[in-house]
Amino acid sequence: MDEHILNKFFEPEKVALIGATRTPGFGYGIPGFWKRHGWLEKAYLVNPKGGEIEGKAVLRSISELPDGIDLAVLMVPAKAVKGAIKELGEKGVKALVIESAGFAETGAEGKREQEEISKIACQFGMRLLGPNCVGVVNTELKFATIEIMDQALEKGEVGIIAQSGVFGNILLDHLPALGIRVSKVATLGNKIDLDEADFLEYFAQDPKIKVILLYEEGIQDGRRLIAALKYATEKKPVLVLKSGRTEFGKRATLSHTGSLSGEDLIYEGAFRQAGAIRASNLQELLYLAKAFTSQPRLKGKRIGVLTTSGSMGAMLSDALFEMGFELAEWSVGTLEKIKQVAPGWVNLKNPLDVGPSGIFGKALDALFSDPNPDGFVLIPVIPFAAIEPWRAIGFKMRDFFGEISKLRERVPDKPVITVLLGYEQFEKEMEELCGNAITVVHSPEMAVRVLAGLSAQKRLAD
Amino acid sequence: MDEHILNKFFEPEKVALIGATRTPGFGYGIPGFWKRHGWLEKAYLVNPKGGEIEGKAVLRSISELPDGIDLAVLMVPAKAVKGAIKELGEKGVKALVIESAGFAETGAEGKREQEEISKIACQFGMRLLGPNCVGVVNTELKFATIEIMDQALEKGEVGIIAQSGVFGNILLDHLPALGIRVSKVATLGNKIDLDEADFLEYFAQDPKIKVILLYEEGIQDGRRLIAALKYATEKKPVLVLKSGRTEFGKRATLSHTGSLSGEDLIYEGAFRQAGAIRASNLQELLYLAKAFTSQPRLKGKRIGVLTTSGSMGAMLSDALFEMGFELAEWSVGTLEKIKQVAPGWVNLKNPLDVGPSGIFGKALDALFSDPNPDGFVLIPVIPFAAIEPWRAIGFKMRDFFGEISKLRERVPDKPVITVLLGYEQFEKEMEELCGNAITVVHSPEMAVRVLAGLSAQKRLAD
């Protein structure tokens, strides 16, 4: 069987950069980036000016390239793209990322130019990603066709398919701070050949990818996308963010990636039917991604809540009600356990508000033994100044809140979300205490949106 | 004329802490906190055990207090509160913060106890804040009745009225990271005497407070609150967050601060009629607070958008449409100016997406001269790895984006909101470049919510 063409994009043996430059600008950063990550030795740089970049000799023309280039990355001005593709085709290159912009997104002339490019590539049996994109990232091999921050190259389980280049790149910049680690990224741009359906199918088969994120502006072949979505959602969760939902948004996507974004209600229905989970905004998409890499499905509607702040508990309760959840009844056994340790002013309700009583860990122990809740939200927020004197005499966060991440092992089949708010250092240490098996968010509403996503997830075979 | 009673809470000359302790716990941190900020010398500590705390002699009983105590802070167990109030009354103390919990929020018995306390205080003409609160903060004098982080004591222009103690405190912890600086805080707890109306009137008159934040769980005297809101909104913006909106939320507020939170639709109408601006969640409340300390009212619906990311521009466009805004038409003069500097692939639309062209500053210069928009949203997001090589050879953020905060002076009467997303260091430096006169948010949707808030603001006299 032939190798999948997308392997050439994500695991090339030899790669060529057409348009490498020695002066800052597009094409400048990549050679250095590749050098740092061991890719420059497998790379060929092309620029008519020749010379040397990062200690590597620069070829003056594509014709000087050796045979067997798996992937070529084009960073030349739009006008030079057509010629370059012909030459690459003649060299037998089958996989190409066109990062250059200035095609369909600029109007009729650009669209014509784009169509010609497509024809040429087709004649050579060449598969194209772009134009107007930044190509791909594969963190496992530390390979990328655009320079990104080292932090974003940490291996992870999220696959991202983003129509836009800059946006895909900004996401990569932003994710490490949220604790989201990526496996592979594809940015699509104007999609004259490879599109979201191709990458959905490919990512669905990739055992390293646990959840797929799809940012959509407009869809050319709706039937194919829906089929690909259905295929993918049978294997893993697929989260979708779609812009161009409204009149203004549609105009914006048209001038951005030349996409006709279509009627939103049709998309809404199609996404749902295909089993995809739609995020209503970027923040939600990102927190869902985080939750889906670590949390099990939410199998019911009954949520148990433990809080140190009555206000945050009330806000969470409002959000739970509005999204159709239930507040679980605590079992008699649970109430007995809490009574034994709680001061008199603690109300034995759900949300269980233990305030600054110091029984958070013990309460957690009791609640996690309760069979009633289908999932949990924890709100361990305490003013940092109030715990600082204790810390000065050796108290640790776990002394105030219990071994949260260890206790979490008691409910492996139920999602646990923590809402954190407060002093930066406090949030950081609490996040560490929660560990990777608990999803941390920063507002009651986001906790509930994440639960809603986990509740909408398909039951998957494995 | 008599001095306003609330002056005694915010600017006491002599303050007494009843329940100071030497061991970590409630009442432990305050003496140290007061010492660090120059308040211990004006303070009297009381504990039956006597001795010394932070080098200060501890009185064994309230009767040992000198005359002329302006404010007493009670941190004793609930059962000891009644006796302490009597003694303080006999000493002529007129202002009291009761931080102790265990009253109406715990049920019928607590409620009776609370009513007795109220009667006793009334007999002595004493005004009470609490119980079940953490009292007040006045950053100008670095005075607080609860220990808070030093960062939260930076002088600012936001006045906060929060029903809940822990929550008020957590807010204080969280605000510095958002760049929000506080003037005064009142936490209300069970509100057996002083309530939100008292503090609204007081904060409305305070020239140091530019915007008032009100977190509500339940309201006892609706008419009085609405009157106070009307009075306050004539003088400055009042932002309201109300929990207990739903069935679950109501139950939660009842067990939290003993509040009956009532019908939400009634509140909604009343808040609006009184000219208050209601935030739909905590994040929105905080970003609105930030915007209202630095941005002018939004006088129309036409928004101008400059972005480096087409995707973010599209998401913003969707959000603008959904909230009833318009995308401004750029004037002919503006388009001429942009054409002179922009590469061919830049679409002369609104949102104006200049991508990584490097003309952000010049475009901003042109857009800020355009008479059409009533307000602006900027989305200057560029992958950090792409600008790092430039930075290595001496380029600064302002070389990529222009002198954003200086250019902003050209549109003093129009709000300017910036959406930032990306690498942490990038966000930090961009935020500095934007300066205090531009409100920075972190999602397109929040930018539009902030504009909606600024659009709802009353026209104020001064």
Side-chain angles (χ1 to χ4, degrees), chain B residues 9-10 97-99 129 133-137 145-146 162 165 185-188:
Chain B
F9 285 83
F10 290 105
V97 172
I98 308 178
E99 308 209 3
L129 181 56
C133 74
V134 299
V136 299
V137 178
T145 61
I146 193 78
V185 181
T187 67
L188 307 177

Side-chain angles (χ1 to χ4, degrees), chain A residues 318 322, chain B residues 214 216 238-246 261 263-272 275-281 284-285 288 449 452-453 456:
Chain A
D318 279 333
E322 285 169 346
Chain B
L214 176 60
E216 273 294 345
V238 179
L239 313 176
V240 182
L241 177 66
K242 167 87 174 65
S243 62
R245 294 191 310 269
T246 67
S261 24
E263 279 314 313
D264 193 63
L265 276 176
I266 297 172
Y267 284 119
E268 180 72 33
F271 289 149
R272 192 169 303 177
I277 294 158
R278 188 170 184 185
S280 56
N281 58 51
E284 190 179 328
L285 181 79
L288 281 173
R449 292 199 158 273

Side-chain angles (χ1 to χ4, degrees), chain A residues 24-294:
Chain A
F26 210 48
Y28 168 81
I30 300 283
F33 176 77
W34 280 355
K35 190 175 185 179
R36 281 206 307 286
H37 298 291
W39 280 90
L40 197 57
E41 52 201 74
K42 305 171 191 175
Y44 297 84
L45 309 179
V46 179
N47 188 309
K49 289 177 192 152
E52 208 175 73
I53 297 178
E54 298 285 350
K56 179 115 190 167
V58 177
L59 308 178
R60 285 176 189 276
S61 76
I62 290 171
S63 62
E64 293 176 31
L65 285 173
D67 290 338
I69 297 287
D70 293 302
L71 177 69
V73 181
L74 271 186
M75 289 197 176
V76 297
K79 282 175 192 163
V81 168
K82 211 157 51 185
I85 296 185
K86 260 186 212 154
E87 289 186 77
L88 289 165
E90 281 155 9
K91 273 279 164 192
V93 174
K94 296 290 177 216
L96 183 63
V97 172
I98 307 178
E99 308 209 6
S100 321
F103 295 92
E105 79 279 10
T106 59
E109 199 184 324
K111 195 155 183 247
R112 263 196 308 278
E113 188 76 7
Q114 184 171 300
E115 279 158 11
E116 278 185 52
I117 283 170
S118 177
K119 269 184 214 153
I120 297 166
C122 200
Q123 283 162 12
F124 288 105
M126 186 188 272
R127 302 304 303 265
L128 294 187
L129 182 56
N132 189 21
C133 75
V134 299
V136 299
V137 178
N138 180 356
T139 60
E140 208 199 3
L141 302 182
K142 297 205 180 299
F143 175 67
T145 60
I146 193 81
E147 61 268 43
I148 57 178
M149 301 303 290
D150 288 358
Q151 289 87 332
L153 281 178
E154 256 188 72
K155 250 196 285 185
E157 297 172 312
V158 176
I160 298 178
I161 304 170
Q163 189 152 7
S164 152
V166 173
F167 179 65
N169 224 337
I170 303 250
L171 269 193
L172 281 171
D173 275 5
H174 188 61
L175 299 181
L178 291 181
I180 298 174
R181 283 172 197 83
V182 163
S183 173
K184 294 183 179 67
V185 181
T187 67
L188 307 179
N190 296 7
K191 306 191 281 192
I192 64 179
D193 175 17
L194 293 166
D195 67 10
E196 50 279 273
D198 296 295
F199 289 96
L200 273 171
E201 287 163 4
Y202 186 74
F203 284 4
Q205 287 170 15
D206 186 336
K208 299 199 178 71
I209 293 176
K210 212 163 160 179
V211 50
I212 300 173
L213 259 67
L214 175 60
Y215 169 69
E216 273 294 345
E217 295 202 336
I219 292 147
Q220 277 133 350
D221 186 346
R223 272 173 206 275
R224 205 171 148 235
L225 174 63
I226 297 304
L229 269 177
K230 275 190 181 148
Y231 173 79
T233 61
E234 289 301 323
K235 298 194 162 47
K236 55 195 70 169
V238 179
L239 314 175
V240 182
L241 178 66
K242 167 86 173 67
S243 63
R245 294 192 310 270
T246 67
E247 211 43 59
F248 296 169
K250 278 177 207 171
R251 273 184 251 158
T253 61
L254 187 60
S255 70
H256 178 222
T257 48
S259 298
L260 281 165
S261 24
E263 278 315 311
D264 193 62
L265 276 176
I266 296 171
Y267 284 119
E268 180 72 33
F271 290 148
R272 191 168 305 176
Q273 230 192 325
I277 294 158
R278 187 170 184 184
S280 57
N281 58 51
L282 179 57
Q283 263 70 18
E284 191 179 328
L285 181 79
L286 298 180
Y287 282 108
L288 281 173
K290 206 168 144 179
F292 273 105
T293 52
S294 60

